[in-house]
Amino acid sequence: MEEEDLPYEEEIMRNQFSVKCWLRYIEFKQGAPKPRLNQLYERALKLLPCSYKLWYRYLKARRAQVKHRCVTDPAYEDVNNCHERAFVFMHKMPRLWLDYCQFLMDQGRVTHTRRTFDRALRALPITQHSRIWPLYLRFLRSHPLPETAVRGYRRFLKAPVNSWVGILQLSPESAEEYIEYLKSSDRLDEAAQRLATVVNDERFVSKAGKSNYQLWHELCDLISQNPDKVQSLNVDAIIRGGLTRFTDQLGKLWCSLADYYIRSGHFEKARDVYEEAIRTVMTVRDFTQVFDSYAQFEESMIAAKMETASELGREEEDDVDLELRLARFEQLISRRPLLLNSVLLRQNPHHVHEWHKRVALHQGRPREIINTYTEAVQTVDPFKATGKPHTLWVAFAKFYEDNGQLDDARVILEKATKVNFKQVDDLASVWCQCGELELRHENYDEALKLLRKATALPARRAEYFDGSEPVQNRVYKSLKVWSMLADLEESLGTFQSTKAVYDRILDLRIATPQIVINYAMFLEEHKYFEESFKAYERGISLFKWPNVSDIWSTYLTKFISRYGGRKLERARDLFEQALDGCPPKYAKTLYLLYAQLEEEWGLARHAMAVYDRATRAVEPAQQYDMFNIYIKRAAEIYGVTHTRGIYQKAIEVLSDEHAREMCLRFADMECKLGEIDRARAIYSFCSQICDPRTTGAFWQTWKDFEVRHGNEDTIREMLRIRRSVQATYNTQVNFMASQMLKVSGSATGTVSDLAPGQSGMDDMKLLEQRAEQLAAEAERDQPPRAQSKIFFVRSDASREELAELAQQANPEEIQLGEDEDEDEMDLEPNEVRLEQQSVPAAVFGSLKED
């Protein structure tokens, strides 16, 4: 004993049962020789054999002492014995068991390690088994002892674990790990059994996050790909159970079942499975999977047969079998469109278009076509049909007709007329086809008879759109049947029968504007003019605007062409009746027709009144054209001077753009009449709606006018007006914004849209920048100046140059004397007279300085 140990020894003598004293002593002696340290541990454990801290540190130190030695060293056995002595007192401590088992695993002592794991499981309480099993399973997987590992896994799956509610329960959640181990050890039969158990357990939750379908798919792959190793399960029953359970994955399951029989060598059974699959699947995806697998199977069978025949050299016997297989494969490929059509019809047996496609696939086989049509008309429910179900009946009858069996075609169509279709139009189409069938074979009387039968009043009448009544009670109001009957009556019947049909259509109130016009034209052809006008009147009473527009146009045109000016008052009444309630969209045609009537047969002032009314009644977009017509007709009838009032009214009513054009035309007319002052006044008035930046053409026209007819003062006035107008537009923020948006091509927007990327700037500043930009663009876009110079007031031109220019512009101008105001003469063109006045003191209020 060294002197440094004396304080610790004395402390231990005083407190020999204190764990802290022993731990301090041991911590102090960590650098001492190993035997001395072990002796100190043994002394402490002799007094405190139930101290977990001492045992844990002692065993850890002993394992560290032999860590780098050979496993055959006797020291390993001493350490093992030390662990065994510890478990006399520490057998409830799982950490010590885990360290000891890991120590034994490092030594490679398999049997001793397995028995130690078993002892640990027996010694520890059941709630702590979950700490032992992971290391135990890793030990089992690390050694090629499949039987031992399987038995260990079986025990593990039966081990209870703590549930979230604190109750002990058995949980096979680690069954996937066991199944993977069984697969890797080639024990597939037991793996399939375990996987089947997991799949059938609805409470099972996969640790890997797999769904029940994924587990089922793994089971199908396992049992179908290893039929010779999985023999304890009924594979056919399992997969067929999946077919009823997972209806959205039928293709894969059918292929798995067929693959099982193929690998088992039952090829005919596999073929039966494929045939059953392609006749029962409901989706194109599943059908494609099954059919491709089926075709690949047949190809592989043919290839194997050819290879076997070439190896054995047998040809005569195998030729028949090979030809049979080839014929079977060709038939399968040729059946694909029909099988695919069957899949689509299984999805929706009421799909009319697919039934027509099925008939087309049977082209050239009359018996199959008849059977298909028969099945179609019996299967398709008109109320659930996709498409028009009557086309099946019509096509069926057309097939018999094309083959010369008219009686059978008539029977089919007669049966079709008794079908309760969803829409009246379907039954009407069938009746029309009956009539066309007879017409094609020149049975005209029979066609008329059929259509008259179709339009006859039923025993129980119903409204056309009354869905509670069968279509047979509503078809008498079908316009399609009545229209065909009217055409046949016009061609084959008498005048009275045709007239009766049209009258009946009007009485049923099912006529269209075209039917009314046809009826009136029919009466007109037979010289019944008043009757035709009555037909127009009846049609007008049936419809409202805008549907009645065509009837009115035709009626008025026919009436004028018939009577001209002989019944002028009646014609005027008709026009007034037509214009009463007429929408502005349709008013232009009627007003022009009305005005033409007055010009040809009535009074000119009445025609002008009609034109005047038209300018107010038409749409704003048509007003400009209407004013042009009004001005032209007034000029032709009354002369050019009569159009001044019309121009003035047009300028007041029209939009700025059209009013500008009217002003230019008005001014040009006045100029031609020699009314220069009038023309200048018009230009001056129009200038108020002409922004110089956007309407440069107007100002150029006015400038040319002043050059030809004006003088220096008029030019000055024009330039003054231009500056005034431009200043006015510069101060109208709303107008500027709208013009800028218009120029930039934006229909809508805000001020910030004018300068994107500068949202932080003031809106007014943005408008000013944009106005400057537009002014610069307008200046660039102005047409080139004329040869004769025009000097603006605020320019560098002298007064003499301006006078000379005015003299050139108008040589006949009277020269004024020199009696002008001297002060006015002394001003330069670029100078402005300013007057200064004192500001009243009241303006400043309290801010005025003392």
Side-chain angles (χ1 to χ4, degrees):
M1 184 179 300
E2 300 176 359
E3 291 184 3
E4 292 84 355
D5 299 340
L6 288 177
Y8 294 99
E9 290 290 345
E10 291 176 356
E11 185 181 10
I12 287 174
M13 290 178 65
R14 291 191 298 268
N15 300 299
Q16 58 181 348
F17 296 105
S18 175
V19 177
K20 293 183 179 180
C21 295
W22 285 106
L23 290 178
R24 283 195 293 268
Y25 192 9
I26 292 170
E27 186 69 25
F28 174 72
K29 300 295 291 183
Q30 285 297 322
K34 296 178 181 178
R36 174 67 178 137
L37 184 61
N38 294 342
Q39 183 183 11
L40 185 58
Y41 271 116
E42 290 290 347
R43 287 174 58 195
L45 290 170
K46 185 175 181 180
L47 293 173
L48 299 168
C50 294
S51 174
Y52 172 75
K53 291 184 178 181
L54 290 174
W55 276 115
Y56 180 75
R57 291 170 179 254
Y58 181 34
L59 295 177
K60 184 177 181 181
R62 291 298 298 268
R63 290 194 300 271
Q65 293 170 7
V66 298
K67 184 175 181 179
H68 299 291
R69 298 186 182 183
C70 181
V71 293
T72 58
D73 194 312
Y76 274 94
E77 191 63 30
D78 294 339
V79 177
N80 292 341
N81 293 333
C82 185
H83 280 85
E84 294 293 342
R85 287 191 297 111
F87 287 128
V88 174
F89 303 99
M90 299 286 106
H91 59 280
K92 298 296 184 182
M93 300 300 171
R95 181 72 262 169
L96 299 182
W97 282 109
L98 289 173
D99 293 341
Y100 185 30
C101 292
Q102 184 63 51
F103 185 61
L104 293 176
M105 289 171 60
D106 295 339
Q107 299 177 44
R109 305 178 65 172
V110 179
T111 303
H112 191 185
T113 304
R114 178 178 58 80
R115 291 176 178 175
T116 302
F117 273 116
D118 293 341
R119 287 170 54 204
L121 291 173
R122 289 195 296 269
L124 291 173
I126 198 171
T127 57
Q128 295 184 351
H129 284 192
S130 58
R131 302 185 61 183
I132 304 297
W133 275 114
L135 185 61
Y136 194 3
L137 295 177
R138 191 172 55 151
F139 162 71
L140 294 175
R141 291 194 300 269
S142 62
H143 294 85
L145 301 172
E147 187 62 32
T148 302
V150 168
R151 291 178 181 272
Y153 267 109
R154 289 175 182 172
R155 291 174 56 196
F156 168 64
L157 293 178
K158 295 179 181 179
V161 297
N162 284 325
S163 68
W164 62 276
V165 293
I167 304 174
L168 294 177
Q169 62 178 6
L170 296 177
S171 176
E173 293 182 353
S174 300
E176 290 177 282
E177 185 180 348
Y178 179 37
I179 293 170
E180 292 299 327
Y181 177 77
L182 292 175
K183 290 180 181 180
S184 62
S185 60
D186 204 26
R187 300 171 71 93
L188 300 181
D189 190 56
E190 186 174 355
Q193 294 179 16
R194 287 287 179 179
L195 192 54
T197 304
V198 166
V199 167
N200 292 327
D201 186 5
E202 296 181 355
R203 297 175 299 176
F204 177 78
V205 179
S206 172
K207 287 185 176 180
K210 297 180 180 178
S211 63
N212 189 265
Y213 167 73
Q214 290 175 318
L215 296 173
W216 191 282
H217 189 61
E218 289 183 8
L219 175 61
C220 291
D221 291 341
L222 179 63
I223 61 181
S224 62
Q225 296 175 6
N226 303 278
D228 54 335
K229 297 180 180 179
V230 180
Q231 299 177 352
S232 60
L233 297 177
N234 187 349
V235 178
D236 188 278
I238 291 175
I239 296 181
R240 288 186 181 274
L243 292 174
T244 59
R245 188 173 181 180
F246 304 102
T247 55
D248 58 336
Q249 299 292 337
L250 296 179
K252 293 182 179 179
L253 296 177
W254 278 115
C255 291
S256 298
L257 181 58
D259 189 37
Y260 168 74
Y261 284 114
I262 293 172
R263 293 177 183 271
S264 301
H266 303 295
F267 301 120
E268 294 300 326
K269 184 67 175 176
R271 187 175 288 109
D272 294 340
V273 170
Y274 279 125
E275 289 290 339
E276 182 182 359
I278 60 179
R279 283 184 168 84
T280 56
V281 292
M282 298 292 292
T283 63
V284 177
R285 183 191 63 179
D286 294 336
F287 171 79
T288 303
Q289 291 178 346
V290 174
F291 187 86
D292 292 345
S293 180
Y294 191 7
Q296 186 178 1
F297 163 67
E298 292 291 352
E299 287 181 356
S300 62
M301 291 294 294
I302 293 172
K305 192 68 177 178
M306 295 176 66
E307 184 178 355
T308 304
S310 62
E311 289 179 357
L312 300 179
R314 295 181 300 178
E315 298 180 357
E316 296 181 358
E317 297 180 359
D318 294 338
D319 280 346
V320 178
D321 189 21
L322 184 60
E323 291 294 334
L324 177 62
R325 293 180 184 276
L326 288 172
R328 182 182 293 166
F329 180 68
E330 292 176 358
Q331 184 187 16
L332 175 65
I333 298 301
S334 62
R335 287 166 53 205
R336 189 181 190 283
L338 196 60
L339 294 173
L340 181 59
N341 180 262
S342 299
V343 173
L344 297 175
L345 286 177
R346 281 196 293 273
Q347 286 182 355
N348 183 11
H350 308 289
H351 200 299
V352 176
H353 182 63
E354 292 299 330
W355 282 109
H356 285 298
K357 289 172 61 177
R358 190 173 186 83
V359 171
L361 292 174
H362 288 301
Q363 196 65 33
R365 291 175 289 177
R367 185 176 298 276
E368 296 295 333
I369 293 176
I370 293 174
N371 293 336
T372 302
Y373 274 127
T374 304
E375 183 181 1
V377 297
Q378 292 176 351
T379 304
V380 174
D381 185 354
F383 287 87
K384 300 178 182 179
T386 302
K388 296 186 176 296
H390 75 275
T391 57
L392 292 172
W393 292 94
V394 173
F396 196 5
K398 190 69 168 59
F399 172 75
Y400 277 120
E401 181 186 359
D402 294 340
N403 288 274
Q405 301 179 10
L406 293 179
D407 294 338
D408 294 332
R410 293 189 180 99
V411 171
I412 295 298
L413 290 176
E414 184 179 357
K415 290 182 178 180
T417 58
K418 300 178 182 178
V419 176
N420 187 19
F421 292 104
K422 183 179 180 180
Q423 303 292 339
V424 178
D425 189 67
D426 294 336
L427 182 58
S429 299
V430 172
W431 279 111
C432 291
Q433 289 296 326
C434 292
E436 291 179 3
L437 172 66
E438 301 298 339
L439 291 176
R440 284 194 293 269
H441 296 84
E442 300 181 356
N443 297 326
Y444 304 119
D445 295 337
E446 188 65 25
L448 279 172
K449 181 180 178 182
L450 286 172
L451 292 177
R452 288 169 181 169
K453 178 181 178 182
T455 55
L457 291 177
R460 182 177 179 180
R461 303 179 188 178
E463 293 298 327
Y464 184 83
F465 294 103
D466 187 4
S468 61
E469 292 290 333
V471 291
Q472 282 76 12
N473 293 343
R474 295 181 283 156
V475 72
Y476 76 98
K477 281 196 172 185
S478 173
L479 183 61
K480 179 182 289 188
V481 181
W482 280 105
S483 298
M484 186 174 180
L485 178 58
D487 292 341
L488 289 181
E489 290 289 355
E490 285 190 35
S491 303
L492 307 173
T494 62
F495 171 79
Q496 294 299 330
S497 62
T498 306
K499 184 175 181 299
V501 169
Y502 277 116
D503 288 337
R504 185 59 182 159
I505 294 175
L506 294 176
D507 292 339
L508 292 174
R509 303 180 69 84
I510 59 174
T512 62
Q514 188 60 47
I515 292 290
V516 174
I517 294 173
N518 292 343
Y519 183 24
M521 296 292 288
F522 168 75
L523 293 173
E524 184 181 355
E525 289 176 0
H526 290 79
K527 309 301 181 182
Y528 290 88
F529 297 104
E530 285 298 329
E531 291 291 334
S532 68
F533 297 151
K534 290 181 181 179
Y536 284 123
E537 294 286 350
R538 293 182 65 183
I540 290 169
S541 63
L542 293 176
F543 300 100
K544 297 181 180 180
W545 290 95
N547 298 323
V548 78
S549 174
D550 294 335
I551 300 178
W552 270 120
S553 299
T554 308
Y555 181 20
L556 295 173
T557 304
K558 294 293 183 181
F559 188 87
I560 294 174
S561 63
R562 169 65 179 167
Y563 292 111
R566 289 176 292 171
K567 296 187 178 182
L568 186 58
E569 291 300 326
R570 181 179 173 185
R572 288 172 178 170
D573 292 340
L574 289 177
F575 274 107
E576 294 297 336
Q577 183 182 354
L579 292 173
D580 184 18
C582 177
K585 182 179 179 181
Y586 304 94
K588 180 180 178 181
T589 304
L590 296 180
Y591 274 108
L592 291 178
L593 195 62
Y594 191 7
Q596 183 181 1
L597 171 70
E598 292 291 350
E599 288 181 18
E600 293 182 1
W601 310 102
L603 301 176
R605 59 186 179 84
H606 288 177
M608 294 299 102
V610 171
Y611 281 123
D612 184 64
R613 289 172 56 190
T615 58
R616 298 190 301 270
V618 298
E619 290 183 322
Q622 298 175 342
Q623 282 184 328
Y624 179 68
D625 296 334
M626 202 68 231
F627 271 111
N628 287 334
I629 297 173
Y630 186 12
I631 291 171
K632 180 181 178 181
R633 300 306 300 159
E636 291 178 357
I637 296 174
Y638 290 105
V640 178
T641 57
H642 189 75
T643 61
R644 285 173 176 164
I646 304 174
Y647 274 116
Q648 293 176 4
K649 183 178 180 181
I651 293 170
E652 294 175 0
V653 173
L654 295 177
S655 61
D656 289 350
E657 182 180 359
H658 291 154
R660 191 178 304 120
E661 296 180 9
M662 280 292 179
C663 287
L664 291 175
R665 290 175 53 189
F666 190 13
D668 184 62
M669 182 196 75
E670 295 291 358
C671 186
K672 291 178 180 179
L673 294 175
E675 300 289 345
I676 304 302
D677 292 336
R678 282 179 175 270
R680 183 175 292 110
I682 294 169
Y683 280 123
S684 178
F685 176 81
C686 183
S687 64
Q688 304 304 315
I689 58 174
C690 296
D691 186 1
R693 295 168 299 182
T694 58
T695 58
F698 168 79
W699 294 99
Q700 182 65 32
T701 304
W702 192 4
K703 182 176 71 174
D704 295 341
F705 168 79
E706 294 296 349
V707 168
R708 291 193 304 269
H709 305 288
N711 52 34
E712 180 182 355
D713 293 335
T714 59
I715 293 175
R716 285 178 181 274
E717 181 67 16
M718 181 199 73
L719 296 177
R720 184 193 64 77
I721 293 174
R722 176 168 179 164
R723 289 197 306 273
S724 175
V725 171
Q726 186 166 357
T728 302
Y729 278 101
N730 286 340
T731 59
Q732 294 179 1
V733 178
N734 293 333
F735 176 80
M736 292 168 60
S738 63
Q739 291 296 325
M740 295 172 191
L741 290 175
K742 183 178 179 181
V743 172
S744 62
S746 301
T748 59
T750 60
V751 175
S752 59
D753 296 333
L754 303 175
Q758 303 181 15
S759 58
M761 298 180 63
D762 184 65
D763 288 346
M764 193 62 203
K765 185 179 292 185
L766 294 177
L767 288 173
E768 292 175 355
Q769 292 180 359
R770 185 59 179 167
E772 293 175 0
Q773 181 181 355
L774 289 176
E777 293 177 357
E779 185 176 355
R780 290 197 304 269
D781 295 339
Q782 284 183 356
R785 299 171 181 246
Q787 294 297 327
S788 58
K789 295 189 295 182
I790 298 297
F791 297 99
F792 292 92
V793 175
R794 295 184 181 179
S795 65
D796 297 333
S798 63
R799 179 177 298 277
E800 290 75 10
E801 291 176 336
L802 289 173
E804 181 181 357
L805 177 63
Q807 181 65 24
Q808 293 176 359
N810 191 3
E812 298 179 358
E813 180 187 4
I814 300 175
Q815 298 294 331
L816 299 176
E818 299 294 334
D819 54 351
E820 296 179 352
D821 190 0
E822 294 182 358
D823 294 336
E824 190 71 16
M825 294 295 292
D826 293 336
L827 288 176
E828 291 296 329
N830 55 355
E831 292 183 358
V832 178
R833 182 189 299 274
L834 299 176
E835 295 182 3
Q836 294 185 357
Q837 293 182 359
S838 60
V839 180
V843 173
F844 298 96
S846 61
L847 297 178
K848 182 179 180 182
E849 298 181 358
D850 296 334

